[in-house]
Amino acid sequence: MSAKFRNIRIPALIQTVLLVMALFLIWELATRAGKVDTFFFSSPNLIGNDIVKMWTSGDISKHVGITFKEAFYGLIYGGVFGTLCAFIFGMNKKLHNILFPIIVGMNGLPKLALGPLLIFWFGIGIESKIVMSAVMVFFIFLFNIYAGYCNVDVTLINAVRMMGGNQWQIIRKVIWPSCIPWFLVSLRTGLGMSIMGAIVGEYIGANKGLGWMIQNAGGTYNITRVISCIVLLIILMASLDYFVKFLEKKILRWRPTVD
Amino acid sequence: MTSIINLQSKSENKIKLALKNITVTFSSSNGHQVLAVNDVSLDVYEQEFIALIGTSGCGKSTLLNVMAGLITADSGQVLIDGVETVGINPKIGYMSQLDSLLPWATVMDNVALGLELRGISKKERRAMARELIVRMGLTGFEYSYPHELSGGMKKRVTIARVLAIDPEILFMDEPFGPLDAFTKEILQDDILKIWHETKKTIVYVTHDLSEAISLADRVVLISSRPGKVKAEYNIPLPRPRNVMDIKFDANYVDIEKTIWLQLKEEVIKGKEGIGHVSKIS
């Protein structure tokens, strides 16, 4: 192979897509050769057709839309509330000392256990899923941003104080900006959590959404449908993560990069 | 000592900053009370360049932090222009040895920070910041972030930032500590120029004797813990000074020797506290 050819750079995204396509091709060929039973493992061809079918029937926009909406509100509520609590605990150590053990204990609880309660309190509709999603996201934001708050450089706080900055200015000019990397980490982790929360909520009791579709299809041994939904979820997650990464690059221009 | 003559005493000037019987104790991590500063009184005159010198851990930074209002003394008073001051005073600008630039703000925003905190409009503070950026030789770096600058340039930005709020008194706590010798001398020269132009009162903390002598009108020697004023020396070297050449002044070595003899005692005393290398037998 000539040196010229080896120097061609293929963008990472294209490489990822190529890898996935190669895996799908192997899978498809294995089914065609009769090595893989489509009843148990379906096939890329069947899944593709199923996704097209769901697209044309409007099922995708309806059910993905619902799950996305639940996760989105869950992320917003959980994120805002978690960030606020982290700042309140950062500013008030006494409150932190009293309440943190309770919160840590609650975080240890499998959120799935809350399912029946949430359905009972908030109904079978979208609200119970938003709450489930928000609860899962909340802890991520709270713990991460609280850690960020405790990591603030005291030198910077003193510098702003010496220039006459008041408490509010210190928060706005020093504490919040230095928490932003932690906020973005929470956002990336929280994104996955919010979708997980929504799906788990739908599993427990719902009549629409991706989680419900998976549950429903699984019950009727429609493996193709289950895998279609999983593929959709993966695409949804990957594109959202891509978006947050883009955001991160824009916002964290002030940080020296590793590469 | 006859060789040290009080050539240009500022004592006719009025007292800008006064410490009256300042005592500071800390509780260490194992619960002991440690006396950091013991009954220090000191007058700093208007437009004076004063250097506090002492071994590391002698309490000179603590003293500066008390003057700045960042630490409250256990007893004693701090007076600025004859008025007792509690907490942070807007007449003071503070430059610490640690890097205190906001890493997420550009050079421009860092220089303008103090003005922003004081509620000055964006247009006005940018104009003022731009002027200082030019003066500190940072043209072209207005929109760079601190991590893109060299150590010396970061210090220049910090100086510009503290000048932006136009303080009457400037506190500098080993401001050029981690820099290489050449960059350090260039920045020291800049500080002398700024001091000549602006006539600010400067309190400069250092553990570097030649730095103290080259810059200051008066050097105050702080004893090893607990910190106390051990001696004061007027530095009769001519002004304006050039940091790079002043060491070759005829009086320089005499002055350095006089102060060093006293400082050496403190260094040795301080060393006993740290422990020493024992002979391997």
Side-chain angles (χ1 to χ4, degrees), chain A residues 23-58:
Chain A
L23 289 174
F24 272 48
L25 190 69
I26 293 167
W27 184 2
E28 183 65 36
L29 290 175
T31 19
R32 297 254 162 125
K35 301 277 186 204
V36 169
D37 188 348
T38 51
F39 179 77
F40 287 105
F41 298 103
S42 192
S43 81
N45 186 29
L46 290 171
I47 293 162
N49 285 339
D50 190 47
I51 290 177
V52 172
K53 206 168 86 196
M54 284 197 286
W55 179 265
T56 44
S57 68

Side-chain angles (χ1 to χ4, degrees), chain B residues 17-259:
Chain B
L17 175 81
L19 293 180
K20 299 245 182 276
N21 310 99
I22 296 288
T23 298
V24 185
T25 51
F26 286 127
S27 5
S28 66
S29 50
N30 52 20
H32 291 296
Q33 291 287 315
V34 179
L35 188 59
V37 173
N38 187 16
D39 193 28
V40 169
S41 296
L42 182 69
D43 290 335
V44 180
Y45 297 97
E46 199 148 39
Q47 299 180 10
E48 186 179 28
F49 197 133
I50 187 169
L52 307 183
I53 191 164
T55 56
S56 66
C58 75
K60 56 194 191 298
S61 291
T62 307
L63 205 56
L64 197 69
N65 284 334
V66 169
M67 292 189 241
L70 285 170
I71 296 176
T72 315
D74 294 275
S75 63
Q77 283 179 306
V78 181
L79 296 115
I80 293 177
D81 292 323
V83 182
E84 186 176 3
T85 171
V86 180
I88 283 144
N89 192 304
K91 288 179 180 172
I92 293 167
Y94 187 104
M95 190 171 162
S96 78
Q97 63 194 111
L98 302 165
D99 184 12
S100 66
L101 295 174
L102 300 181
W104 44 82
T106 58
V107 167
M108 174 67 87
D109 289 339
N110 263 303
V111 174
L113 179 64
L115 302 168
E116 187 182 356
L117 296 172
R118 286 173 192 198
I120 289 161
S121 77
K122 191 166 184 168
K123 205 180 149 192
E124 216 173 320
R125 67 175 188 254
R126 291 219 148 184
M128 289 162 85
R130 190 161 284 133
E131 207 174 288
L132 280 162
I133 286 168
V134 173
R135 183 160 150 201
M136 292 311 298
L138 292 160
T139 318
F141 292 95
E142 289 87 345
Y143 300 103
S144 302
Y145 289 98
H147 82 263
E148 297 165 322
L149 306 178
S150 69
M153 283 165 85
K154 280 189 207 171
K155 290 296 178 192
R156 283 171 192 279
V157 179
T158 314
I159 295 168
R161 183 176 74 178
V162 76
L163 289 178
I165 55 173
D166 197 24
E168 294 171 24
I169 308 167
L170 210 53
F171 284 175
M172 310 188 91
D173 185 3
E174 295 177 31
F176 310 131
L179 298 176
D180 67 272
F182 306 117
T183 313
K184 209 168 170 173
E185 289 193 344
I186 292 167
L187 286 164
Q188 287 165 351
D189 248 354
D190 286 340
I191 287 298
L192 280 182
K193 262 182 227 139
I194 289 162
W195 177 68
H196 273 289
E197 286 164 21
T198 59
K199 298 287 170 214
K200 291 184 193 308
T201 307
I202 298 184
V203 182
Y204 198 102
V205 167
T206 180
H207 58 241
D208 177 347
L209 183 53
S210 63
E211 182 178 37
I213 296 170
S214 318
L215 296 175
D217 294 321
R218 184 157 55 116
V219 173
V220 176
L221 176 59
I222 310 287
S223 67
S224 276
R225 180 164 286 177
K228 262 179 126 166
V229 175
K230 184 172 178 179
E232 290 184 30
Y233 307 89
N234 285 310
I235 309 297
L237 298 172
R239 301 263 189 200
R241 294 179 194 163
N242 179 325
V243 177
M244 297 189 196
D245 303 329
I246 196 78
K247 346 179 157 38
F248 305 110
D249 188 281
N251 287 323
Y252 186 92
V253 175
D254 273 352
I255 298 167
E256 188 167 26
K257 199 173 172 189
T258 310
I259 304 178

